[in-house]
Amino acid sequence: MTRASERTVGTLRELILHGEFAAGARLGEVELAERLGVSRTPVREALARLASEGLVEIVPNRGARVSSWTVGELEEVFDLRAALEPRLTALAVPHAGPADVDALDVLAHRMVEVAAHDLDALVPLNREFHGRLVALAGHPAMAGALAGAIHAPIVLRNFHAYDDASLGRSLAHHVEIVAAVRAGDPVWAQAVMTAHIHNARAVMVRTAREQEDS
């Protein structure tokens, strides 16, 4: 991918994440090229990249649109996530050595540090935190099922949808999960991850309902 295409990906991703384009909005190549001051080729490549991330849907003969999620679809995704991820977190506990716990601790506290000024910086940190726990669980079948349930738009957008109280709970959950893992307590770790996912579910379902009502 060219430098122009990489810049276009970053710019378009930011516009979508910050709500410049509503869920379901059409993303015309010509209009985007004019708005971003680039040719249609970088726009086309950027749309393909964002489609692979789940932020954009490309329909043959209809073009690209911002991905959208119904309340029902979100509830189904979070139901599946709530059934799988807490269990994987519990399974991770006995496999977590001191270095693993320290790495999780660094990620949890780094998220607390960046949350006040850069919500987008939370995304890769959050992904790594959850990914490390899943990897430590050593259960590839369950991990594969979970990966199918966690769609990129949910992961990427949820921090922008959070109010201060919900974001504070989410960040505190990460820190407490680390404490549970360090204590070697899988029941505690599973309980906190369950609360963590239900907190996220409440935020995302509320946001989806507001969009459906608007």
Side-chain angles (χ1 to χ4, degrees):
M1 183 172 281
T2 66
R3 187 171 298 177
S5 296
E6 291 286 356
R7 286 198 301 269
T8 304
V9 168
T11 301
L12 188 52
R13 183 189 290 118
E14 290 298 308
L15 290 171
I16 293 172
L17 288 173
H18 287 90
E20 292 292 325
F21 299 104
R26 179 179 175 276
L27 299 169
E29 290 182 9
V30 174
E31 295 84 355
L32 287 174
E34 292 177 354
R35 176 169 181 167
L36 303 179
V38 297
S39 69
R40 291 179 65 179
T41 298
V43 170
R44 190 176 301 115
E45 292 177 348
L47 290 172
R49 168 75 71 82
L50 295 175
S52 72
E53 295 179 4
L55 281 175
V56 170
E57 299 171 346
I58 299 178
V59 181
N61 302 318
R62 291 189 178 183
R65 295 183 181 276
V66 178
S67 296
S68 59
W69 298 84
T70 66
V71 169
E73 287 170 337
L74 283 172
E75 288 179 333
E76 288 176 5
V77 167
F78 277 103
D79 282 346
L80 185 54
R81 188 179 171 191
L84 295 172
E85 195 164 4
R87 180 59 182 151
L88 283 166
T89 302
L91 291 170
V93 172
H95 300 294
D100 298 311
V101 179
D102 289 344
L104 289 167
D105 191 50
V106 169
L107 289 166
H109 284 91
R110 180 62 181 152
M111 280 187 271
V112 173
E113 292 170 5
V114 304
H117 57 84
D118 190 355
L119 289 176
D120 291 332
L122 286 173
V123 173
L125 296 169
N126 182 68
R127 185 182 300 119
E128 184 176 355
F129 183 90
H130 287 265
R132 280 178 175 270
L133 287 170
V134 170
L136 283 168
H139 201 302
M142 201 181 299
L146 177 65
I150 301 177
H151 297 282
I154 297 173
V155 176
L156 288 171
R157 292 181 188 178
N158 62 4
F159 296 118
H160 292 277
Y162 277 31
D163 56 32
D164 290 343
S166 297
L167 180 59
R169 281 193 295 272
S170 180
L171 297 171
H173 288 152
H174 291 133
V175 174
E176 188 175 356
I177 287 167
V178 175
V181 175
R182 194 183 297 279
D185 190 332
V187 175
W188 181 12
Q190 181 168 340
V192 181
M193 183 60 80
T194 299
H196 183 64
I197 292 167
H198 281 277
N199 183 54
R201 175 188 175 129
V203 171
M204 297 307 296
V205 169
R206 182 194 68 223
T207 301
R209 285 194 174 120
E210 290 171 353
Q211 290 175 345
E212 288 187 350
D213 293 340
S214 62

